[in-house]
Amino acid sequence: MKAVSLTPERMTADERHAAFWLAGVFSLRMLGLFMILPVFALYAEHLRGNTPALAGLAIGIYGFSQALFQIPFGFLSDRHGRKRIIYIGLLVFALGSVVAALADSIWGVILGRALQGGGAVSAAVMALAADLTREEHRTKVMAVIGVTIGLSFAVSMILGPALNGWIGVPGIFWLTALFAVLSMGVVRLLVPEPPAARIHHDAEPVAAQFGRVLFDGQLLRLNFGIFILHLLLTATFVAIPLALRDAGLASAQHWEVYLPVLLLSMAIMAPFVILAEKYRRLKTVFLGAVLALALAEFGLLNLHATVLEMAALLLVFFSAFNLLEATLPSLIAKMAPADAKGTAMGIYSSSQFLGAFAGGALGGWLRGLLGLKGVFAFTTLAALAWLVVAWTMANPRYLSSYTLKVGDLDDAQAQLLAQQLNKVRGVAEAVVVATEGVAYLKVDRNILDEPALQHLVAAS
């Protein structure tokens, strides 16, 4: 077999274009979902039939339908083609945005938001990205998409209040529908056609692996973590816009709080990410960030009478939130079985969206029952519960995912090669999937014997 280079060639132009444009599709969709988060609680007060509980449900309902449909959409894309399923999902998303824009009642917005979430194309887009990239570059492509999603969230928190003062929440929904149509055009005209749809264990869920991933104790802790993180985010923003208004800040000026808070929080986060990964203090940094979330929520419980108090506490909240949002996927990648990263990430994403649903629904219900203090008391207790669960998390192994193309093998050859790969210094885990012709490894790059790995793969 031809030798496989462990220092691969640069990404091709098609691979770079696929990464860039698919990240753009994710960005436009996430902007549409999140731009209403900092403004909807105030807008809902003017809708027919509104109650605090229904307003919270409208904010979070997209998470329920997203969690329900994203993995099935991924499976459907395996059978019926990536782009076809992505078009259908984006069309449903656009339809939901139009329904919400035209609605004059809270139930109409709830229906529109549920349809937005039903256009759950995340798994299909990830699978398309995997189809269009070589194994050795796939981690970089997924990282580009992940960074873009994070930036989209930050931008949406600033754009939402600014656009609300200009075009209102219905205008934001119309803009979101336009984003979905533009995304369809991007997929049609700018994303290359995949040579064929294949199953990629590192990028998409595989039904046969659900059992071992769902019942892995360490992964369960991380799935609980992302559930609570997005529960906290959504529940907090059921209350924060109202608290800022009650403190005397007009809704059109809320961006003046969010902009400096988000920029400073990103600057604060960066050194902690370096400390966690480079200096291998991941669990310590992780626990510190969860504790910071709990303290921020406790602070909001007691100090939400002035804009300055809330701005300071939101800075703590978003510094911790951004840090955890960056480190949780890294922990999933470290702790998932080598050949089940895609399945682990699919379940993780579903947990994230269910958290958003629970945060909106419970946060709205508690606001109607107990007021803003009831919401912040709930989020404080939720963060403390996460701290207890996270404390029992095992120290992560500082391993990197490593994928090698090994060519056509039968099952016996694949099993033998996996045994040999597992003996190479620095390889902690190796699984060879014969049907893909790919070896999935977990390695410690600091001690990896790359020449031995190169020799073994070349000789197989």
Side-chain angles (χ1 to χ4, degrees), residues 94-113:
L95 176 63
S97 302
V98 171
V99 169
L102 294 173
D104 63 354
S105 73
I106 190 65
W107 285 107
V109 176
I110 289 171
L111 174 61
R113 288 284 280 174

Side-chain angles (χ1 to χ4, degrees), residues 299-319:
L300 289 168
L301 170 62
N302 294 284
L303 300 169
H304 58 265
T306 71
V307 173
L308 185 59
E309 289 172 348
M310 281 183 281
L313 290 166
L314 284 173
L315 177 59
V316 176
F317 176 89
F318 276 113
S319 297

Side-chain angles (χ1 to χ4, degrees), residues 4-27:
V4 178
S5 173
L6 300 180
T7 54
E9 299 173 1
R10 295 167 65 90
M11 293 175 68
T12 65
D14 279 350
E15 287 174 323
R16 291 195 299 273
H17 291 161
F20 177 80
W21 291 117
L22 290 174
V25 170
F26 261 105
S27 297

Side-chain angles (χ1 to χ4, degrees), residues 157-171:
M157 295 299 295
I158 298 162
L159 275 182
L163 287 172
N164 183 44
W166 180 31
I167 58 177
V169 171

Side-chain angles (χ1 to χ4, degrees), residues 178-435:
L178 177 62
F179 286 167
V181 173
L182 289 175
S183 295
M184 294 173 69
V186 167
V187 174
R188 175 69 179 86
L189 301 173
L190 299 173
V191 176
E193 288 290 336
R198 298 187 294 115
I199 304 297
H200 308 276
H201 285 64
D202 60 335
E204 58 183 303
V206 177
Q209 296 175 336
F210 274 30
R212 67 169 171 153
V213 170
L214 276 171
F215 297 105
D216 183 297
Q218 297 305 318
L219 293 177
L220 275 173
R221 287 172 172 83
L222 299 176
N223 291 332
F224 178 77
I226 194 62
F227 174 89
I228 294 295
L229 184 62
H230 281 261
L231 177 150
L232 293 175
L233 175 69
T234 314
T236 298
F237 277 88
V238 166
I240 280 292
L242 298 163
L244 287 171
R245 181 198 61 186
D246 293 347
L249 189 66
S251 60
Q253 295 176 291
H254 287 192
W255 69 270
E256 296 174 7
V257 171
Y258 299 135
L259 177 60
V261 161
L262 285 163
L263 291 177
L264 283 172
S265 69
M266 290 180 185
I268 291 170
M269 173 193 77
F272 288 101
V273 171
I274 295 169
L275 177 65
E277 293 288 352
K278 184 175 180 179
Y279 296 99
R280 303 198 168 191
R281 295 289 185 270
L282 191 49
K283 184 174 180 180
T284 302
V285 170
F286 187 84
L287 291 173
V290 178
L291 177 60
L293 277 181
L295 292 173
E297 296 291 354
F298 182 72
L300 289 168
L301 170 62
N302 294 284
L303 300 169
H304 58 265
T306 71
V307 173
L308 185 59
E309 289 172 348
M310 281 183 281
L313 290 166
L314 284 173
L315 177 59
V316 176
F317 176 89
F318 276 113
S319 297
F321 177 89
N322 291 335
L323 179 57
L324 290 163
E325 189 86 339
T327 54
L328 273 164
S330 174
L331 283 166
I332 289 281
K334 287 176 171 60
M335 293 185 176
D339 62 331
K341 180 182 171 185
T343 304
M345 288 303 300
I347 294 171
Y348 167 89
S349 295
S350 295
S351 302
Q352 170 185 325
F353 291 121
L354 287 174
F357 168 65
L362 292 173
W365 175 69
L366 286 168
R367 181 170 76 83
L369 189 67
L370 300 171
L372 298 184
K373 284 203 168 189
V375 178
F376 294 131
F378 166 64
T379 54
T380 300
L381 291 174
L384 288 173
W386 183 13
L387 183 62
V388 172
V389 171
W391 201 276
T392 67
M393 179 181 74
N395 281 308
R397 299 179 299 171
Y398 290 89
L399 303 175
S400 302
S401 297
Y402 210 106
T403 310
L404 291 173
K405 189 75 173 176
V406 297
D408 295 330
L409 300 172
D410 60 31
D411 288 340
Q413 291 171 320
Q415 186 175 4
L416 176 61
L417 179 57
Q419 292 172 354
Q420 294 171 328
L421 290 169
N422 274 304
K423 294 177 182 178
V424 174
R425 182 167 57 87
V427 175
E429 184 181 355
V431 178
V432 180
V433 181
T435 53

Side-chain angles (χ1 to χ4, degrees), residues 50-66:
N50 178 65
T51 66
L54 291 177
L57 182 62
I59 291 173
I61 189 67
Y62 84 91
F64 180 78
S65 48
Q66 175 86 19

